[in-house]
């Protein structure tokens, strides 16, 4: 009933900014994975990331723990977009983008996406490399714990 809830909330929202925000993030809340996939793909266009706080919230929705099995497929593309995001966005947006994408992941596939991306780009921008490693640190540690059954110190 996600769309019904969103439609009800949109009808009850009088503030035009709040209404536009909800309209923007609503595809990230959709029950249909194809709608979410199209929304994520739309983020490749800079004009679809203009309000960065809305984008960050929408990306968090895409990677909600209940949807991470599906959303793990977005991680390689989110890494590929990082250089453009650094050029076109606010100084803090690359870190926020990475955190929104990686925070709820701990799977082998998520860890492998980071490792593969960095391995294929040995001369990648050092500052962005560090941001990726920072955002992926907890997911990598969680993955290690899940796979080894012991806590890393």
């Amino acid at each position: 009933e996600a769309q019904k809830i969103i439609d009800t909330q949109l009808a009850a929202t009088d503030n035009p900014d709040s209404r536009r925000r909800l309209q923007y993030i609503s595809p990230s809340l959709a029950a249909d994975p194809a709608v979410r996939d199209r929304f994520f793909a739309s983020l490749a266009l800079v004009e679809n990331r203009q309000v960065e706080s809305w984008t960050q919230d929408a990306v968090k929705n895409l990677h909600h723990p209940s949807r991470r099995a599906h959303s793990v497929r977005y991680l390689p593309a989110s890494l590929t977009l990082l250089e453009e995001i650094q050029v076109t966005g606010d100084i803090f947006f690359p870190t926020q983008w990475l955190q929104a994408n990686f925070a709820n992941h701990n799977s082998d596939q998520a860890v492998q996406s980071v490792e593969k991306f960095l391995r294929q780009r040995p001369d990648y921008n050092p500052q962005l490399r560090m941001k990726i490693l920072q955002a992926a640190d907890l997911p990598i540690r969680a993955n290690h714990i899940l796979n080894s059954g012991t806590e890393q110190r």
Side-chain angles (χ1 to χ4, degrees):
E1 295 187 26
Q3 193 57 51
K4 181 180 176 184
I5 294 168
I6 292 167
D7 292 343
T8 301
Q9 187 60 48
L10 277 169
T13 303
D14 294 328
N15 181 293
D17 288 333
S18 296
R19 185 176 181 78
R20 282 193 307 275
R21 178 185 178 277
L22 183 54
Q23 288 170 329
Y24 175 82
I25 68 168
S26 65
S28 73
L29 300 167
D32 184 352
V35 172
R36 296 192 311 268
D37 289 349
R38 282 191 301 275
F39 176 76
F40 182 79
S42 78
L43 297 177
L45 301 174
V46 67
E47 59 267 20
N48 293 335
R49 303 186 308 263
Q50 286 188 349
V51 182
E52 293 171 354
S53 63
W54 295 1
T55 302
Q56 182 180 358
D57 290 343
V59 170
K60 285 179 186 178
N61 292 337
L62 291 172
H63 293 283
H64 186 274
S66 67
R67 294 191 170 145
R68 69 180 160 199
H70 178 82
S71 67
V72 71
R73 71 184 66 194
Y74 304 143
L75 297 179
S78 70
L79 291 169
T80 301
L81 281 171
L82 186 59
E83 285 181 307
E84 180 184 334
I85 285 172
Q86 181 189 36
V87 171
T88 60
D90 179 76
I91 189 171
F92 300 108
F93 192 50
T95 299
Q96 295 165 344
W97 171 261
L98 290 167
Q99 289 171 344
N101 275 282
F102 281 92
N104 290 318
H105 289 279
N106 59 17
S107 68
D108 292 341
Q109 190 177 355
V111 171
Q112 290 165 3
S113 69
V114 172
E115 291 171 347
K116 180 180 178 183
F117 181 85
L118 293 175
R119 186 175 54 250
Q120 290 176 339
R121 294 160 180 85
D123 297 326
Y124 194 68
N125 178 316
Q127 292 174 333
L128 292 180
R129 176 181 285 278
M130 291 305 295
K131 289 179 189 311
I132 292 168
L133 292 171
Q134 288 171 335
D137 183 57
L138 289 179
I140 290 169
R141 288 175 187 251
N143 177 266
H144 176 75
I145 291 167
L146 290 170
N147 287 333
S148 69
T150 60
E151 187 171 333
Q152 186 177 15
R153 293 182 187 257

